Amino acid sequence: MKSRKPFSRLWCCLRWLLVGIWLSCNPHLYPLNPATRAAYRHQLKEMRKVYRHFVPIQLPMDSLQQAFWMAPSPNFNIRYPNLVIIHQTEEQSCAQSLATLTNAFRAGRVSSHYLICKDGTIFQLVPDVYRAWQAGVSRWGPIRDVNSASIGIELDNTGHEPFPDTQIHALLILLHVLQQRYHLDTANFIGHADIAPTRKQDPSIYFPWDRLAAAGFGYWRDSVLVSPPPDFHPLDALRIIGYDLSDTTAAIVAFKRHFVQTDLSPVLDSFSLKVLYDIYPKYRR
Ligand SMILES: [Zn+2]
């Protein structure tokens, strides 16, 4: 039998749950430290406390045709992302991109978790624990639903220009925060073109992947490179890094856009092969 009391209790609990989720996404990105971590754990504890007062309640009929029961369990955590996807907006200004990424009525709606302007301003558009619409049809290694597994960061950039120092500096600070928060693997900082080689070209060859790698976000080639042995299989190496090989030409271009950056021809020349031979063991897990 339905009664109003369980529902008001349910609403109260859901409200606290939502508040807890929002609080756990600290809008002040910089002061993440042991105290902040402790605050997060405290918030999670508070979220779970609510469930102690829950009693199983019967929910009304819906499209399932039958009523079903809700018996919430306090044994949960917030799901953590394990990839960071870097994008460039390919628009003319941060304001324009902000409008695009927050427009609820535009056909083909898109979003990302963060947008970083050229002056270093960081906008958080979607909380980390929510699934933003930034990766699209894509694949990285065994992961096919990249949106569910990743945090997306858009950089204000037309795609035909270098990324200013101030913007990269802000990105590095944000990546540091995310790495601390989610214990991300060094290999798991990649570009949109890496996960969607047939559809995307961002970020461009101007993106300083070497600077990111030097700070511990992704890998870069060593300064001394050696030629691979005759039994080296380049496509196996690309697959080990994470590339989708359903279109090998596109995968080669995506690899070169990220790790070579001097030319984007769909051919693994001798330099590209040396880079590939150097890079792929770093991604072997
Ligand atoms: Zn993109």
Side-chain angles (χ1 to χ4, degrees):
M1 186 175 164
K2 287 179 281 185
S3 73
R4 295 184 64 83
K5 200 173 173 189
F7 279 106
S8 62
R9 195 178 292 155
L10 173 66
W11 169 238
C12 172
C13 294
L14 287 175
R15 213 171 48 195
W16 275 109
L17 182 65
L18 291 171
V19 168
I21 289 171
W22 275 101
L23 285 175
S24 71
C25 303
N26 189 343
H28 306 290
L29 294 170
Y30 303 108
L32 190 75
N33 51 37
T36 309
R37 284 177 179 282
Y40 165 78
R41 281 197 295 273
H42 175 72
Q43 286 158 11
L44 190 58
K45 202 171 159 188
E46 291 301 307
M47 288 163 69
R48 287 175 174 148
K49 240 187 228 174
V50 172
Y51 286 99
R52 285 187 200 156
H53 308 293
F54 252 128
V55 289
I57 55 169
Q58 190 171 12
L59 298 179
M61 290 205 323
D62 66 357
S63 57
L64 291 174
Q65 302 294 322
Q66 287 187 335
F68 61 97
W69 290 80
M70 185 173 181
S73 168
N75 306 331
F76 68 92
N77 211 333
I78 293 170
R79 281 189 292 183
Y80 281 2
N82 58 15
L83 287 174
V84 168
I85 311 297
I86 307 286
H87 303 256
Q88 71 203 4
T89 56
E90 295 174 6
E91 293 192 307
Q92 299 308 311
S93 71
C94 216
Q96 186 185 0
S97 299
L98 199 54
T100 300
L101 294 165
T102 58
N103 190 333
F105 305 104
R106 183 171 168 262
R109 289 187 287 161
V110 291
S111 63
S112 66
H113 295 89
Y114 299 93
L115 167 67
I116 305 181
C117 304
K118 289 192 173 80
D119 66 359
T121 303
I122 301 175
F123 289 94
Q124 178 153 21
L125 312 174
V126 178
D128 294 350
V129 292
Y130 292 170
R131 183 178 182 274
W133 301 340
Q134 39 99 18
V137 178
S138 51
R139 183 172 180 183
W140 188 246
I143 302 172
R144 288 174 182 271
D145 182 3
V146 177
N147 273 335
S148 290
S150 65
I151 286 181
I153 302 175
E154 289 276 1
L155 300 175
D156 174 30
N157 186 285
T158 61
H160 307 287
E161 59 186 347
F163 295 80
D165 263 1
T166 44
Q167 189 179 33
I168 297 302
H169 180 67
L171 172 65
L172 290 172
I173 291 171
L174 174 59
L175 293 181
H176 180 69
V177 169
L178 295 175
Q179 193 174 44
Q180 282 215 321
R181 187 177 289 168
Y182 304 117
H183 309 289
L184 298 161
D185 192 280
T186 304
N188 291 358
F189 297 82
I190 50 178
H192 200 184
D194 292 316
I195 60 169
T198 58
R199 299 188 304 112
K200 295 294 175 181
Q201 291 85 43
D202 63 314
S204 73
I205 56 170
Y206 291 109
F207 188 72
W209 287 111
D210 55 340
R211 261 183 88 181
L212 262 66
F217 310 118
Y219 291 112
W220 189 244
R221 58 180 189 252
D222 293 338
S223 51
V224 178
L225 299 171
V226 298
S227 296
D231 62 349
F232 177 60
H233 296 290
L235 295 185
D236 287 348
L238 287 171
R239 185 181 286 110
I240 286 169
I241 293 173
Y243 287 100
D244 175 12
L245 295 186
S246 53
D247 183 330
T248 52
T249 301
I252 289 169
V253 172
F255 167 78
K256 291 179 76 170
R257 181 178 283 109
H258 185 138
F259 295 100
V260 177
Q261 297 193 321
T262 47
D263 89 282
L264 295 180
S265 59
V267 179
L268 287 169
D269 57 10
S270 114
F271 178 67
S272 305
L273 279 171
K274 285 181 186 174
V275 174
L276 179 57
Y277 184 60
D278 177 79
I279 288 286
Y280 91 94
K282 306 176 199 294
Y283 284 81
R284 185 176 252 156
R285 322 162 173 69

